[in-house]
Amino acid sequence: MASYAVLLEYQGEAFEGWQIQGEGSRTVQGCLREALATLTGESVTPRGSGRTDSGVHAEGQVASFALETDWDPGKLERALNGVLPADVGARQVARVAEGFDALRDAIGKEYRYRIWNRRERSPLRAARFAHIPYPLAVEAMQEAAVLLTGEQDFQSFQAAGSDVKTTVRELHELSLKPGPLGEIEILAHGKGFLRHMVRNLVGTLLEVGAGRREASSMPSLLARCDRGAAGPTAPAHGLTLERVFYPSDPFGPGEGDAKSRDSKGKSV
Amino acid sequence: MASYAVLLEYQGEAFEGWQIQGEGSRTVQGCLREALATLTGESVTPRGSGRTDSGVHAEGQVASFALETDWDPGKLERALNGVLPADVGARQVARVAEGFDALRDAIGKEYRYRIWNRRERSPLRAARFAHIPYPLAVEAMQEAAVLLTGEQDFQSFQAAGSDVKTTVRELHELSLKPGPLGEIEILAHGKGFLRHMVRNLVGTLLEVGAGRREASSMPSLLARCDRGAAGPTAPAHGLTLERVFYPSDPFGPGEGDAKSRDSKGKSV
């Protein structure tokens, strides 16, 4: 057996999320399993670093799997890109130590939420940005975001009906970066996230930005541990899983890593 | 009669270009004409600053038209966005002097061509970037680009079968900007462009980048005035019409102009 990790990019629009569901559901995990079966004849179910919801994109989802046959990682990456559909691609494939588990071994994740904050809609950004047509008080949102970081009980931000051992998570960073044209990017970097947590944080920050909620109310909102007390779940298509962190990066600093390119951005 | 200009953004993928064609062709001009008819009951054919080809995007195409009825520009913009399909939107509508002609009055245009220059494809960039999987010599491309600027006869870069009075055009700028992950943006700013000219310039620069053509050969290539001597037409989906220039900006510095936003990108 040989163990592999694959770094996946996908446009989430036409997927019902990462995780394999019933018949007729198009999922990223299902497409990857099918591609691996086509290439190797083996029936393996790749394990993702976590589920992404229906419509959520990924720049760098990570999945692990083991194959009976030995494949050169570069060859497997090219072969996967040859059989995967156009909206999902393998950025890199790496050999990993036996037992590497993309889910269990992950020590952090980075998400980016994109907002288009102009009154008029933007057809060119419609696939990746949530359109918020009313003015947002970005500074108040920034204040609120800071109050939501750290090790906290995020139960108020967890999807209703979830069942996890603990709702305490550590959020290293939650920050807003406004762009020149009306874009706002919200970066969330944490050790782990509850179901819908990023989108619920964003939905709450949007209420702060709209003046319907005070930035200073964040600590009491966390303390209430009540999903009904927080804002609505922000739309899925604004969210991208940017990166998954491991104690030792299975992919770097290899060919697929941006840092291995020279300052002009050329391939090396 | 009241004259208007509209600043249009569109995702070109599902359009057969700007210009109205026969029955069954979905065009941006056709969608705009239909939207205006729905809103006003008037049958007007908006005039664009120029045709964009099938698949080409626009951040800022400009079209002009006149209506019998008097519309508040802001109201007309919102009404247009309510009836236009999702892949085309009105960024702004402005009242303009009688006789303003989006085509004839244009004094310059800016295009951006996006290249994804990594071996592996990028599903998240597939709609806007042309994928060039082999390494490109960006410096040689930059050298060649400089040699293509200025007032020149661009006949070698004009679509075969075109019929224009003169193939002399003034290209103010043709420059490359490599990004950190393997993106390369080519900016073309000129007084006017021949049919397919930007994409033919890009196709030729790509041959320089691949080492199949010398940067220093650009002057002789221009001198040949032969379409067959230049490179292939680069794919349409990498191209975006960014901006059209007029002696006096019909839209600025109004609400729809990025410059009217504060440094934090908030709506003002």
Side-chain angles (χ1 to χ4, degrees):
Chain A
M1 294 290 283
S3 297
Y4 298 89
V6 57
L7 186 64
L8 291 168
E9 179 177 332
Y10 46 89
Q11 217 288 359
E13 200 170 354
F15 288 109
E16 292 178 51
W18 163 262
Q19 178 146 315
I20 289 173
Q21 297 165 40
E23 279 296 311
S25 283
R26 187 174 183 266
T27 65
V28 181
Q29 191 184 30
C31 284
L32 180 58
R33 182 172 68 173
E34 205 177 303
L36 287 169
T38 303
L39 294 173
T40 68
E42 298 182 39
S43 173
V44 293
T45 300
R47 196 161 154 93
S49 75
R51 308 173 188 188
T52 50
D53 291 323
S54 184
V56 171
H57 315 289
E59 282 273 4
Q61 167 71 294
V62 177
S64 54
F65 54 90
L67 296 176
E68 302 282 347
T69 41
D70 224 348
W71 279 73
D72 170 73
K75 200 180 149 194
L76 183 54
E77 179 230 292
R78 290 187 290 279
L80 279 172
N81 282 324
V83 295
L84 283 168
D87 51 357
V88 51
R91 285 176 52 192
Q92 203 178 340
V93 172
R95 281 293 297 261
V96 288
E98 204 190 312
F100 173 82
D101 183 317
L103 174 65
R104 207 190 43 224
D105 294 346
I107 53 168
K109 275 184 194 162
E110 195 179 276
Y111 285 94
R112 199 179 299 269
Y113 197 93
R114 290 176 168 82
I115 292 163
W116 177 245
N117 186 31
R118 291 181 71 138
R119 197 197 56 238
E120 68 278 15
R121 57 192 171 78
S122 174
L124 285 170
R125 293 169 188 84
R128 302 287 307 277
F129 289 72
H131 182 204
I132 306 293
Y134 47 82
L136 291 170
V138 175
E139 277 176 36
M141 293 171 76
Q142 256 154 349
E143 257 176 72
V146 169
L147 293 170
L148 291 165
T149 57
E151 194 176 78
Q152 316 249 24
D153 188 333
F154 285 101
Q155 195 176 342
S156 294
F157 297 93
Q158 179 183 230
S162 302
D163 179 24
V164 288
K165 274 183 218 150
T166 168
T167 48
V168 173
R169 292 291 183 276
E170 194 178 340
L171 192 56
H172 304 313
E173 185 184 346
L174 184 66
S175 61
L176 281 82
K177 202 176 74 180
L181 295 173
E183 313 94 337
I184 301 172
E185 290 189 5
I186 301 181
L187 193 86
H189 175 205
K191 217 164 142 180
F193 292 88
L194 300 166
R195 180 139 195 261
H196 287 185
M197 179 172 148
V198 180
R199 289 161 62 196
N200 291 341
L201 288 166
V202 171
T204 305
L205 290 179
L206 287 172
E207 291 195 337
V208 172
R212 293 200 297 275
R213 198 183 275 272
E214 292 295 321
S216 58
S217 70
M218 294 301 113
S220 61
L221 172 54
L222 285 162
R224 284 180 64 182
C225 292
D226 171 13
R227 174 69 191 94
T233 308
H237 72 276
L239 186 63
T240 304
L241 170 58
E242 294 281 328
R243 203 173 161 180
V244 187
F245 296 90
Y246 293 94
S248 153
D249 182 359
F251 305 104
E255 228 182 322
D257 191 322
K259 280 168 196 150
S260 72
R261 280 155 189 276
D262 69 21
S263 63
K264 296 218 170 59
K266 285 192 286 187
S267 307
V268 291
Chain B
M1 295 290 281
S3 297
Y4 299 88
V6 57
L7 186 64
L8 291 168
E9 179 177 331
Y10 45 90
Q11 215 290 359
E13 199 170 356
F15 288 109
E16 293 178 50
W18 164 262
Q19 179 148 313
I20 289 173
Q21 297 165 39
E23 278 297 311
S25 284
R26 187 173 183 266
T27 65
V28 182
Q29 190 184 30
C31 284
L32 180 59
R33 182 171 69 174
E34 206 176 302
L36 288 168
T38 302
L39 294 174
T40 69
E42 298 182 40
S43 174
V44 293
T45 300
R47 198 161 152 93
S49 74
R51 308 174 188 186
T52 50
D53 291 323
S54 184
V56 172
H57 315 289
E59 282 272 5
Q61 166 72 293
V62 177
S64 55
F65 55 89
L67 296 175
E68 302 283 347
T69 40
D70 225 349
W71 279 73
D72 169 73
K75 199 180 149 193
L76 183 53
E77 180 231 292
R78 289 187 292 277
L80 279 172
N81 282 325
V83 295
L84 283 168
D87 51 356
V88 53
R91 284 177 50 194
Q92 203 179 341
V93 171
R95 281 293 297 262
V96 288
E98 204 189 313
F100 173 82
D101 182 318
L103 174 64
R104 207 189 44 225
D105 294 346
I107 53 167
K109 274 182 195 164
E110 196 179 274
Y111 286 94
R112 199 178 298 268
Y113 197 93
R114 290 175 169 84
I115 292 163
W116 176 244
N117 186 31
R118 292 181 72 139
R119 197 197 57 238
E120 68 277 15
R121 58 192 170 76
S122 175
L124 285 169
R125 294 168 188 83
R128 303 287 307 278
F129 289 72
H131 182 205
I132 305 294
Y134 47 83
L136 291 170
V138 175
E139 277 176 35
M141 292 170 77
Q142 255 154 350
E143 258 177 70
V146 168
L147 294 169
L148 291 164
T149 58
E151 193 176 79
Q152 316 249 25
D153 188 334
F154 285 100
Q155 197 175 341
S156 295
F157 297 93
Q158 180 184 229
S162 302
D163 179 24
V164 289
K165 275 183 214 149
T166 170
T167 48
V168 173
R169 291 291 183 277
E170 194 177 341
L171 191 56
H172 305 311
E173 184 185 348
L174 184 66
S175 61
L176 281 82
K177 203 175 75 181
L181 295 174
E183 312 93 337
I184 301 172
E185 291 190 4
I186 302 181
L187 192 87
H189 176 205
K191 219 166 141 178
F193 292 87
L194 300 165
R195 182 142 192 260
H196 287 184
M197 179 171 148
V198 180
R199 289 162 60 196
N200 292 340
L201 287 167
V202 171
T204 304
L205 290 179
L206 286 172
E207 292 195 335
V208 172
R212 294 200 297 274
R213 199 183 273 273
E214 292 293 322
S216 57
S217 70
M218 295 301 114
S220 62
L221 172 55
L222 285 161
R224 286 179 64 182
C225 291
D226 171 12
R227 174 68 192 96
T233 309
H237 72 275
L239 187 63
T240 304
L241 170 58
E242 294 281 330
R243 201 171 163 182
V244 186
F245 297 90
Y246 293 94
S248 154
D249 181 359
F251 304 104
E255 226 183 321
D257 191 322
K259 280 166 196 151
S260 71
R261 277 152 193 277
D262 70 19
S263 62
K264 298 220 169 58
K266 284 192 286 185
S267 307
V268 292

